[in-house]
Amino acid sequence: MANDFAAEKDALALEVRHWSRASTALADLEVLASSASWQALESYMGLSIRTSLRTLATGVAAEAGVLAARLTTATAPAELAAIRTGMLRLRRRYEQVETVLDFYGDAVNTRTSPRLGAVLRGLDALAVDSMDRVLRPLGMSTPPVLTYLDKGIGASILRSGARLWDASLSPVAAIKITRHNLWRPTSLIHETGHQVAHMTGWTAELGSALYNRMAPVSVLAAESWRSWASEVAADVYAFALLGYAPLPALATVVDGPTSKVFRMPPGDPHPFGWVRVLFNVGLCRSWFGPGPWDGIARTWMLRHPVEKASRDVQAICRASLAQLPALADVCTRMPLRAFGGASLASLADPRAVAPAELARLAERAGASLYTSSYLQRLEAMRVLAWTVLNGQSATGSDDGVELWLRRIGGAAAAAA
């Protein structure tokens, strides 16, 4: 029995030493991302992320230290059994923290290239500016944003304050930008809309308002719109700040075979593609009247005839299509507690980003549109909207977007 005890104690000692060393190594953040990538972050955000990650790593190492101390004084099999349980728990904890560190390390590492680092700093600044527009009048602080480049079709956000894999809280809002939309980054504002909706409590209130508006027409459609409230809020936020600019990119992202465009997977918070595109068209019509969005609607309905949808989806389509003006009013003109009793439009007026207004801004600014620090500070959303729309023309170029983003990123670095 004594030999069994000693053998188990020696085996545990080896395992605890292994996980102790591995946990200590997690704190070396230069292994996660290069020095150049860390330096490409604004100083306050880099410090916040580094502090948070080191705290997680040292916490795991401290747990290993406690187990090592308990093992030194263990004299009974029951104590070894408890230490082994703790060691298995430590290993699970290590894996969870490693997942967190890898996520942020991969995100930071997308800034290894100085050129891309400057662009992503510019997107960080735009994201913060987009949230300031609504949060600041409400007396709320805007969280820092870490944008990163990744593959895929759609953008995404890991919200600031969200629970991570190890149950810690995200120190920043981490927003994925897809490569194919890097030079028309309107999805960035959709993702910051998620953060704003979460912080203000907009989603639940909007969901109830959408349900109440649609219920007299169709309970099935009302339940669907309530379940889509989080994504509807994000789309509406992008519309309020950028107007028509996000719609062509959105239509590209959600397009596909007609069966996919009408698909409603259980639990999916996104409106299915057909109704989502036409809802965004409805927002444009509600605020701007006739325009190029009408052509998108015609093409969309010809490409994806509603008759090809299932019976329930057809019912939702037809009920929703008839109520688009009312849905636009609910989303943009209705006073809400989330906005201090005001409407979203009173904080971010869509009329300021009507195509004609954007054209007037560009004409007045002339060559200074992309060089003026004043416009960069006060009109960043409108300049972004105009630049994206201008880039979508047959003669448009991505060069202007990149240079502008790099200029914003350089200004952010200089300020830091």
Side-chain angles (χ1 to χ4, degrees):
M1 293 291 291
N3 288 341
D4 292 344
F5 178 85
E8 176 65 8
K9 188 170 183 178
D10 288 344
L12 281 172
L14 285 172
E15 292 175 283
V16 170
R17 278 198 299 273
H18 171 79
W19 291 111
S20 178
R21 288 168 179 164
S23 301
T24 300
L26 285 179
D28 185 359
L29 301 184
E30 300 301 321
V31 173
L32 289 177
S34 68
S35 297
S37 297
W38 286 112
Q39 290 166 7
L41 298 176
E42 284 199 57
S43 58
Y44 77 95
M45 180 167 61
L47 179 61
S48 174
I49 295 174
R50 282 173 176 260
T51 300
S52 177
L53 298 185
R54 283 204 179 101
T55 298
L56 294 179
T58 55
V60 180
E63 289 182 37
V66 170
L67 288 178
R70 288 173 59 192
L71 187 60
T72 300
T73 60
T75 58
E79 292 177 276
L80 294 188
I83 291 169
R84 173 163 168 73
T85 298
M87 191 273 297
L88 294 175
R89 185 166 55 246
L90 170 67
R91 188 169 68 177
R92 289 194 299 272
R93 170 76 171 155
Y94 175 92
E95 291 174 327
Q96 292 168 340
V97 170
E98 185 181 49
T99 300
V100 175
L101 268 63
D102 278 350
F103 171 80
Y104 286 104
D106 289 347
V108 171
N109 242 345
T110 62
R111 302 184 180 222
T112 300
S113 157
R115 174 186 172 189
L116 183 56
V119 168
L120 292 175
R121 278 199 306 273
L123 291 173
D124 295 342
L126 287 179
V128 169
D129 179 86
S130 74
M131 290 187 280
D132 270 346
R133 304 283 167 151
V134 169
L135 294 179
R136 184 178 294 174
L138 298 176
M140 304 178 77
S141 298
T142 298
V145 175
L146 170 68
T147 57
Y148 63 97
L149 192 65
D150 206 351
K151 63 183 181 299
I153 297 297
S156 63
I157 183 172
L158 179 64
R159 293 192 318 270
S160 174
R163 290 283 174 189
L164 299 173
W165 298 270
D166 67 330
S168 64
L169 302 180
S170 176
V172 299
I175 300 178
K176 168 190 165 183
I177 301 296
T178 58
R179 287 187 181 89
H180 75 95
N181 265 340
L182 178 60
W183 306 126
R184 53 173 186 178
T186 53
S187 60
L188 177 70
I189 314 306
H190 171 97
E191 301 306 333
T192 61
H194 279 301
Q195 182 75 49
V196 169
H198 174 73
M199 293 175 65
T200 59
W202 182 21
T203 300
E205 191 175 6
L206 178 61
S208 296
L210 291 170
Y211 181 88
N212 291 338
R213 185 65 193 84
M214 292 299 298
V217 179
S218 165
V219 172
L220 175 61
E223 290 173 344
S224 298
W225 279 94
R226 180 165 58 188
S227 73
W228 298 333
S230 65
E231 293 297 331
V232 170
D235 276 359
V236 170
Y237 197 79
F239 166 77
L241 292 180
L242 300 179
Y244 166 59
L247 179 54
L250 171 66
T252 297
V253 166
V254 303
D255 199 7
T258 296
S259 59
K260 172 182 175 289
V261 167
F262 286 118
R263 188 180 303 143
M264 282 185 63
D268 188 349
H270 297 83
F272 55 89
W274 192 91
V275 78
R276 187 175 178 186
V277 167
L278 292 178
F279 168 68
N280 278 268
V281 169
L283 290 171
C284 293
R285 286 174 175 164
S286 177
W287 284 94
F288 309 145
W293 38 90
D294 295 318
I296 290 180
R298 282 193 297 274
T299 299
W300 198 253
M301 296 177 78
L302 287 171
R303 186 180 290 175
H304 306 294
V306 71
E307 292 77 19
K308 293 190 175 181
S310 67
R311 182 177 300 175
D312 283 350
V313 170
Q314 284 191 45
I316 294 170
C317 288
R318 292 192 169 99
S320 300
L321 199 60
Q323 296 299 315
L324 289 180
L327 291 170
D329 285 346
V330 167
C331 292
T332 57
R333 296 181 175 92
M334 177 182 286
L336 297 171
R337 293 187 306 277
F339 302 131
S343 66
L344 175 64
S346 68
L347 298 172
D349 190 347
R351 289 172 296 187
V353 286
E357 287 299 315
L358 297 178
R360 275 191 283 272
L361 170 68
E363 183 179 4
R364 288 196 304 268
S368 70
L369 184 67
Y370 299 116
T371 60
S372 166
S373 58
Y374 173 84
L375 292 176
Q376 180 182 304
R377 187 173 66 255
L378 296 182
E379 298 285 11
M381 291 298 101
R382 296 214 295 160
V383 174
L384 173 61
W386 166 255
T387 303
V388 170
L389 287 177
N390 196 44
Q392 289 165 356
S393 67
T395 58
S397 167
D398 294 334
D399 293 343
V401 184
E402 178 179 355
L403 291 174
W404 182 61
L405 289 174
R406 290 173 65 182
R407 186 173 287 113
I408 294 174

